[in-house]
Amino acid sequence: MRAEVRNAEEMRELGVRIAGLLGPGDLVVLTGALGAGKTTLTQGIGEGLKVRGPVTSPTFVIARVHPPLGEGPALVHADAYRLGGTLEVDDLDLDASIADSVTIVEWGEGLVEDLSEQRLEILIESSPDDDRRIVHVRGVGSRWSDISAALI
């Protein structure tokens, strides 16, 4: 699925729509340049999941857990930007909470795919001409075979 997003509000709205599809055990891997909108998308997902916030970039703390305000899953929000490889990712013990939470990893491409055979991979590209973003959502595994139809 491919979506064009014009501003931060639309990015959050897309996140809310994605959250409607997510549940315990789901892994989302976010990729994009600095400032592309990965954390903004995660804020929308957090809003949609109704978790305790605020959802902010976990770059310096590496990972944050946002408990649910109701009966939904917690949101585990990690940032692999400063990590040196899969051994440091393993040290985060993301696999310990993945079954009960929605886990989102920014900069996780090539590092966290072993956490789940069923995952969403989201690439956010910046437009060279303006503030638009092109968001590519790719489902991996049978759980996500109809992701394009579900988000339209």
Side-chain angles (χ1 to χ4, degrees):
M1 188 219 79
R2 179 183 183 276
E4 183 175 307
V5 176
R6 294 175 291 188
N7 53 46
E9 181 180 331
E10 286 186 9
M11 186 68 80
R12 283 187 197 89
E13 289 171 3
L14 177 59
V16 170
R17 289 197 342 250
I18 291 170
L21 305 173
L22 298 172
D26 286 334
L27 172 65
V28 180
V29 181
L30 295 179
T31 304
L34 284 171
K38 297 177 296 298
T39 298
T40 303
L41 181 69
T42 303
Q43 289 169 341
I45 292 172
E47 179 184 332
L49 292 175
K50 297 180 176 43
V51 298
R52 189 175 319 146
V55 174
T56 58
S57 176
T59 298
F60 295 104
V61 295
I62 309 297
R64 283 195 172 93
V65 177
H66 298 275
L69 293 173
E71 297 198 18
L75 171 63
V76 176
H77 183 200
D79 188 325
Y81 182 75
R82 294 177 39 223
L83 300 181
T86 55
L87 290 176
E88 289 185 23
V89 171
D90 288 345
D91 288 343
L92 294 177
D93 287 331
L94 294 174
D95 54 342
S97 61
I98 198 160
D100 302 321
S101 305
V102 170
T103 302
I104 298 177
V105 183
E106 296 186 24
W107 303 96
E109 183 178 37
L111 296 171
V112 299
E113 289 83 357
D114 288 344
L115 290 173
S116 179
E117 293 178 3
Q118 311 284 328
R119 64 186 174 276
L120 285 181
E121 296 177 346
I122 300 177
L123 168 64
I124 304 172
E125 297 179 308
S126 301
S127 170
D129 301 325
D130 54 31
D131 290 337
R132 286 179 304 127
R133 305 291 192 256
I134 306 300
V135 181
H136 304 271
V137 180
R138 177 177 169 256
V140 176
S142 59
R143 159 117 168 74
W144 299 109
S145 61
D146 293 332
I147 185 64
S148 292
L151 282 175
I152 293 176

